[in-house]
């Protein structure tokens, strides 16, 4: 029985063969308790320079992978069984050599791994390897797990009908799960605010969620599925976008999946309706000041929580001319170089948004939405409405206008501050 396999020294065109620039692959035998089934009892880690991708394999899949890539795609492959170590090497001319080394005495650790794979209990005091395997499993403990087909993910082309995540869509799959983790963290807080307002969530009074700029609605469908099918929370989810064809497709898919608590409409934030009071407002990559209009709507309608991933923060950057900031200002070096100025302007924009939300009675966190290697637009503003607001932290009120000290120092304007000062 194979206990582990390690592939290294990849060929230069590996991305054409396996779809990514993998530097090495490590595959280990899982314990029976951690294997998804008796047919998937190997855990594989595919490494690139910055990321690692995981999957489970059956014994036959592992053997096929070895036959296809040992000595060809990877010039070095080391296999370890209960009794021997097998090394497959390829030289520069492509000649493949196989070396075998007998292991005369099975180590206690190898015996334990083999017993675990056969469903036997490990001996006491042998927890190190088990802890490593548990850690491997937890890294894949997604709220929407692999191997279990989810209808909307299948229809959107992220999963196969068998529940296998499509390789090209793995980043999107991880992004969806990351977003659901951030949503899940705030559900109890939202419920407490609803309780404090004598309006607990119920079938007659469901949780209301609006996704402004829902686009293809991966996250909108994910929220519906997670709240309805996984958490069993009564909820009404609404997606809004300006693209008619996208909205038509989303409504068609919602009807095809018989999702009665999910609907979509064409329109912008202004057309959503002033009388509605959503509990949670979501904005994903709302471009430039569109994020400000969504945040302003959330504040004015007393949303219990906000999940916002800003995008394309051009407003302040376009105002940051050299003459805006004195040469002796501590900000001057940040405005001297175009790329640094652009990044600084984006961070300043979101810092101002976050502080203004705090001044309006929200507890705010700035979180990494997804790894920067996957997308540079990876910052998420998560705001939870507090039961009592503290309005003293941010703004200096002058002439009825709220002004952030940062805005005053930079001598620029910002849409969210402007919208709030007009209310």
């Amino acid at each position: 029985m194979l206990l582990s396999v390690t592939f290294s020294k990849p060929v230069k065109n590996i991305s054409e063969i396996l779809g990514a620039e993998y530097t090495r692959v490590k595959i280990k035998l899982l314990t029976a308790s951690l294997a998804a089934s008796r047919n998937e009892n190997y855990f594989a880690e595919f490494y690139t320079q910055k990321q690692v991708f995981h999957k489970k394999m059956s014994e036959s899949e592992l053997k096929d992978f070895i036959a296809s890539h040992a000595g060809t795609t990877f010039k070095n492959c080391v296999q370890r069984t209960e009794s021997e170590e097998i090394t497959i090497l390829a030289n520069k001319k492509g000649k493949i050599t196989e070396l075998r080394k007998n292991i005369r005495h099975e180590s206690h650790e190898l015996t334990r791994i083999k017993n675990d794979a056969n469903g036997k209990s490990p001996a006491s005091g042998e927890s190190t390897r088990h802890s490593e395997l548990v850690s491997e499993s937890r890294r894949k403990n997604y709220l929407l797990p692999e191997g279990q087909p989810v209808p909307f993910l299948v229809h959107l082309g992220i999963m196969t009908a068998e529940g296998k995540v499509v390789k090209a869509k793995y980043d999107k799959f991880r992004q969806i799960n990351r977003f659901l983790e951030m949503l899940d963290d705030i559900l109890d807080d939202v419920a407490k605010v609803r309780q404090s307002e004598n309006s607990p969530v119920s079938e007659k009074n469901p949780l209301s969620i609006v996704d402004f700029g829902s686009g293809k609605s991966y996250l909108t469908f994910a929220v519906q599925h997670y709240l309805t099918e996984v958490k069993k929370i009564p909820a009404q989810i609404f997606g809004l976008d300006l693209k008619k064809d996208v909205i038509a497709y989303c409504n068609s898919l919602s009807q095809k999946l018989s999702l009665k608590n999910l609907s979509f409409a064409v329109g912008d934030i202004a057309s959503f309706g002033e009388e509605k009071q959503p509990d949670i407002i979501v904005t994903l990559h709302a471009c430039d000041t569109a994020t400000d209009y969504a945040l302003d709507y959330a504040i004015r309608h007393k949303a219990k929580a906000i999940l916002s991933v800003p995008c394309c923060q051009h407003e302040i950057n376009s105002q940051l001319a050299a003459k805006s900031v004195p040469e002796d200002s501590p900000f001057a070096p940040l405005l001297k170089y175009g790329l640094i100025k652009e990044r600084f302007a984006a961070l300043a924009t979101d810092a101002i948004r976050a502080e203004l939300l705090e001044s309006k009675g929200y507890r705010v966190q700035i979180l990494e939405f997804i790894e920067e290697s996957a997308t540079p637009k990876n910052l998420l503003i998560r705001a939870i409405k507090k039961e009592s607001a503290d309005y003293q932290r941010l703004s200096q009120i002058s002439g009825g206008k709220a002004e952030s000290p940062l805005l005053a120092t930079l001598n620029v304007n910002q849409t969210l501050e402007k919208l709030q000062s007009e209310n």
Side-chain angles (χ1 to χ4, degrees):
M1 176 184 289
L2 280 169
L3 301 176
S4 66
V5 185
T6 301
F7 296 84
S8 59
K9 296 185 179 180
V11 295
K12 292 182 178 179
N13 64 333
I14 188 170
S15 62
E16 298 175 9
I17 301 170
L18 293 179
E21 292 288 347
Y22 296 120
T23 57
R24 67 187 187 280
V25 177
K26 293 183 178 181
I27 304 173
K28 300 176 183 179
L29 181 65
L30 283 173
T31 64
S33 61
L34 292 179
S37 70
R38 294 300 297 175
N39 293 325
E40 291 184 331
N41 49 0
Y42 287 92
F43 181 85
E45 295 176 295
F46 291 76
Y47 291 85
T48 66
Q49 289 289 347
K50 295 183 178 180
Q51 294 176 286
V52 57
F53 301 89
H54 306 134
K55 68 174 292 185
K56 288 181 180 177
M57 290 182 174
S58 66
E59 186 173 2
S60 62
E61 287 175 330
L62 175 57
K63 289 181 178 179
D64 288 344
F65 192 88
I66 293 171
S68 299
H69 302 294
T72 53
T73 309
F74 294 90
K75 296 181 180 180
N76 194 334
C77 172
V78 179
Q79 306 169 51
R80 194 173 181 86
T81 71
E82 299 100 322
S83 58
E84 62 180 352
E85 185 178 279
I86 306 164
T87 303
I88 298 175
L89 302 170
N91 63 18
K92 293 181 179 180
K93 296 182 179 180
K95 181 181 178 181
I96 297 175
T97 303
E98 182 178 293
L99 305 174
R100 290 179 176 264
K101 177 182 177 182
N102 290 328
I103 302 174
R104 294 182 180 180
H105 302 289
E106 261 190 22
S107 71
H108 201 51
E109 173 65 4
L110 295 184
T111 302
R112 190 207 61 75
I113 295 174
K114 182 176 68 173
N115 288 341
D116 277 356
N118 292 325
K120 297 179 181 179
S121 298
S124 61
E126 298 179 9
S127 61
T128 302
R129 174 64 181 150
H130 181 263
S131 297
E132 292 173 357
L133 292 173
V134 169
S135 177
E136 291 166 358
S137 178
R138 284 176 177 169
R139 284 201 297 267
K140 295 186 66 178
N141 189 24
Y142 296 126
L143 294 179
L144 300 183
E146 298 180 77
Q148 298 179 18
V150 178
F152 85 89
L153 290 177
V154 174
H155 278 82
L156 290 173
I158 295 175
M159 271 186 176
T160 65
E162 294 75 31
K164 181 179 179 180
V165 178
V166 177
K167 183 183 295 186
K169 296 290 186 179
Y170 206 89
D171 281 345
K172 179 63 68 175
F173 175 74
R174 293 171 62 243
Q175 182 189 78
I176 289 170
N177 274 284
R178 174 63 172 157
F179 182 83
L180 290 179
E181 289 173 5
M182 294 182 171
L183 173 67
D184 187 67
D185 285 346
I186 66 172
L187 291 177
D188 287 344
D189 292 309
V190 173
K192 288 178 182 177
V193 176
R194 286 277 300 256
Q195 288 281 1
S196 71
E197 296 176 351
N198 296 317
S199 180
V201 176
S202 65
E203 291 290 345
K204 293 183 178 181
N205 192 13
L207 196 68
S208 173
I209 301 173
V210 179
D211 185 351
F212 286 126
S214 54
K216 294 182 179 178
S217 302
Y218 293 99
L219 297 186
T220 325
F221 279 98
V223 169
Q224 188 279 336
H225 177 84
Y226 184 66
L227 294 179
T228 305
E229 303 298 330
V230 180
K231 300 290 286 187
K232 307 298 182 184
I233 296 175
Q236 188 67 43
I237 300 97
F238 192 87
L240 193 72
D241 200 275
L242 293 172
K243 298 177 182 177
K244 295 181 180 179
D245 56 337
V246 171
I247 291 299
Y249 173 78
C250 291
N251 272 322
S252 174
L253 179 55
S254 179
Q255 292 170 11
K256 184 181 297 184
L257 297 174
S258 300
L259 308 179
K260 297 181 180 179
N261 62 338
L262 175 61
S263 57
F264 300 87
V266 176
D268 57 13
I269 295 168
S271 66
F272 183 63
E274 288 298 315
E275 75 283 355
K276 298 178 181 177
Q277 301 287 330
D279 295 301
I280 301 174
I281 286 180
V282 174
T283 67
L284 179 66
H285 296 156
C287 189
D288 200 15
T289 58
T291 294
D292 297 303
Y293 284 94
L295 295 179
D296 176 64
Y297 187 99
I299 294 169
R300 288 189 293 105
H301 290 77
K302 298 179 173 58
K304 314 300 184 296
I306 304 165
L307 295 170
S308 177
V309 179
C311 175
C312 306
Q313 300 95 324
H314 296 311
E315 184 180 35
I316 288 180
N317 186 43
S318 65
Q319 300 176 57
L320 286 176
K323 61 181 181 181
S324 298
V325 179
E327 291 185 1
D328 59 352
S329 168
F331 293 112
L334 295 171
L335 309 180
K336 185 176 180 180
Y337 308 99
L339 181 59
I340 294 176
K341 183 182 77 170
E342 181 181 353
R343 293 181 180 178
F344 168 70
L347 291 172
T349 299
D350 293 328
I352 291 165
R353 288 165 171 165
E355 286 210 311
L356 194 141
L357 285 167
E358 287 184 345
S359 78
K360 299 300 180 180
Y362 286 87
R363 184 173 70 254
V364 181
Q365 295 171 295
I366 304 296
L367 305 169
E368 183 182 68
F369 176 41
I370 202 71
E371 289 88 346
E372 192 170 5
S373 57
T375 172
K377 303 168 185 177
N378 68 336
L379 180 151
L380 182 140
I381 301 173
R382 185 168 72 181
I384 313 297
K385 187 71 175 176
K386 294 186 287 188
E387 295 181 25
S388 59
D390 175 9
Y391 296 99
Q392 303 302 316
R393 190 178 185 280
L394 169 68
S395 299
Q396 300 172 2
I397 306 300
S398 176
K401 181 180 179 181
E403 185 174 87
S404 164
L406 182 56
L407 285 176
T409 302
L410 296 176
N411 191 25
V412 294
N413 299 309
Q414 203 277 328
T415 295
L416 182 57
E417 282 261 352
K418 180 180 177 181
L419 291 171
Q420 284 294 301
S421 66
E422 292 174 350
N423 293 331

